[in-house]
Amino acid sequence: MNVQAYLMFNGRTEEALAYYTQAIGAEVTALMRFGEAPEAPPPGMVPDGWDDKVMHASFRVGEAELMASDGSQSDAAGFAGVSLALSVATKEEAETRFAALAEGGEVTMPLGPTFFAPAFGSLVDRFGVSWLVVVAVK
């Protein structure tokens, strides 16, 4: 069994994938646009003019596989109640990744030492995704 996060970016998936590639070394492993689907979606499911939007994408961050879509919702993306935890090996990597993810977002807990890790912090990135960045203790 495997549980994976599926993130809906309401028309900003391509921008988010480029951002995560630069910020945390994500690698896009699959991408299909609505216009490439072998069958048209049911009427009213996808907004007009979305042929170039991302119907489905998969991307890797380290060993984790995540999925994303522009989805078909009409409101802004909302990720309330969910955080992605990014575990890194060193404090220096935590600082680099935290700063990159925080660019254009909001820091909710500054990166710093805690009783459980040499560095831990939390933020919401520019796409509204909540991240926990932590140095893994082995």
Side-chain angles (χ1 to χ4, degrees), residues 116-134:
F116 58 86
F120 173 84
S122 62
L123 60 98
V124 176
D125 72 21
R126 68 176 77 170
F127 299 100
V129 177
S130 175
W131 290 87
L132 308 173
V133 178
V134 62

Side-chain angles (χ1 to χ4, degrees), residues 16-29 59-64 66 86 88 93 96-98 100-101 131:
L17 292 174
Y19 174 67
Y20 295 139
T21 298
Q22 179 272 325
I24 57 175
E27 175 191 358
V28 177
T29 58
F59 63 106
R60 288 185 100 29
V61 178
E63 296 177 27
L66 302 167
L86 182 65
V88 298
E93 184 178 7
T96 299
R97 301 302 186 189
F98 190 88
L101 287 168
W131 290 87

Side-chain angles (χ1 to χ4, degrees), residues 5-39:
Y6 205 116
L7 307 172
M8 300 291 187
F9 288 102
N10 195 34
R12 296 181 70 195
T13 299
E14 195 159 8
E15 179 186 353
L17 292 174
Y19 174 67
Y20 295 139
T21 298
Q22 179 272 325
I24 57 175
E27 175 191 358
V28 177
T29 58
L31 191 140
M32 177 181 256
R33 299 182 187 285
F34 283 103
E36 299 170 337
E39 296 178 12

